[in-house]
């Protein structure tokens, strides 16, 4: 079996389990589909930006299992998972990835609905009469 580096990333409700396979040519699969069919080109660029920053894009094959959330959140979750897996591979990459903000989990999530309101902050419409 091929050696790989495993990590996971989260964003909103999206959870990505990332495997970076050592010997590879840059092939990316998301939920057993090619990344080009799963994501838009902009989302692919966002997801693999840690590899581009560290000049390791053609060194790894990436297999991702992602569930929950929308496509944008899934893309961000994959980016965090790839960054963490790269750190396992080479801890020397930490300053580069940290400077770009790729090691920080984005903690913004949907605010809960409050009682007496229609949504999290939206109050019922006021009627004078």
């Amino acid at each position: 079996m091929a050696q790989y580096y495993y990590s996971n990333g989260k964003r909103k409700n999206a959870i990505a389990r990332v495997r970076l396979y050592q010997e590879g040519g840059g092939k990316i699969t998301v939920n057993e589909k090619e990344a080009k069919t799963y994501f838009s080109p902009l989302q692919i660029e966002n997801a693999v930006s840690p590899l581009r920053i560290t000049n390791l894009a053609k060194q790894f094959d990436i297999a991702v299992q992602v569930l929950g959330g929308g496509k944008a959140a899934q893309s961000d979750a994959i980016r965090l998972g790839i960054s963490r897996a790269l750190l396992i591979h080479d801890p020397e990459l930490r300053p580069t990835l940290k400077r770009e903000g790729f090691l920080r989990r984005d903690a913004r999530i949907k605010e809960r609905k409050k009682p007496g309101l229609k949504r999290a902050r939206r109050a019922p419409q006021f009627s004078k009469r």
Side-chain angles (χ1 to χ4, degrees):
M1 197 69 180
Q3 183 189 0
Y4 61 85
Y5 301 100
Y6 172 83
S7 183
N8 60 21
K10 295 179 180 182
R11 167 80 169 101
K12 290 187 173 181
N13 286 328
I15 301 169
R17 296 183 304 213
V18 178
R19 289 182 180 184
L20 258 58
Y21 288 94
Q22 188 71 39
E23 65 281 337
K27 194 177 100 173
I28 304 164
T29 57
V30 180
N31 292 348
E32 280 122 40
K33 295 179 188 168
E34 197 173 319
K36 289 181 182 127
T37 60
Y38 193 83
F39 285 128
S40 73
L42 197 64
Q43 291 165 338
I44 294 171
E45 184 62 34
N46 176 44
V48 299
S49 51
L51 294 170
R52 189 176 32 80
I53 295 293
T54 57
N55 296 321
L56 298 172
K58 298 294 180 196
Q59 197 170 340
F60 296 102
D61 278 346
I62 303 170
V64 181
Q65 286 293 318
V66 67
L67 54 110
K71 298 286 183 172
Q74 288 180 351
S75 171
D76 286 344
I78 291 170
R79 183 178 71 189
L80 180 60
I82 289 173
S83 300
R84 288 177 172 173
L86 283 174
L87 276 188
I88 295 169
H89 164 67
D90 183 10
E92 302 289 319
L93 298 174
R94 186 174 187 80
T96 309
L97 294 171
K98 191 169 180 151
R99 186 174 36 247
E100 295 294 325
F102 292 157
L103 298 178
R104 174 166 284 146
R105 185 207 189 281
D106 193 345
R108 296 176 295 171
I109 58 170
K110 185 171 179 164
E111 193 173 332
R112 69 174 285 273
K113 181 192 174 299
K114 301 348 177 266
L117 300 181
K118 290 187 177 290
R119 295 193 303 263
R121 297 179 187 219
R122 168 86 169 94
Q125 187 170 356
F126 173 75
S127 174
K128 194 167 186 176
R129 286 178 192 85

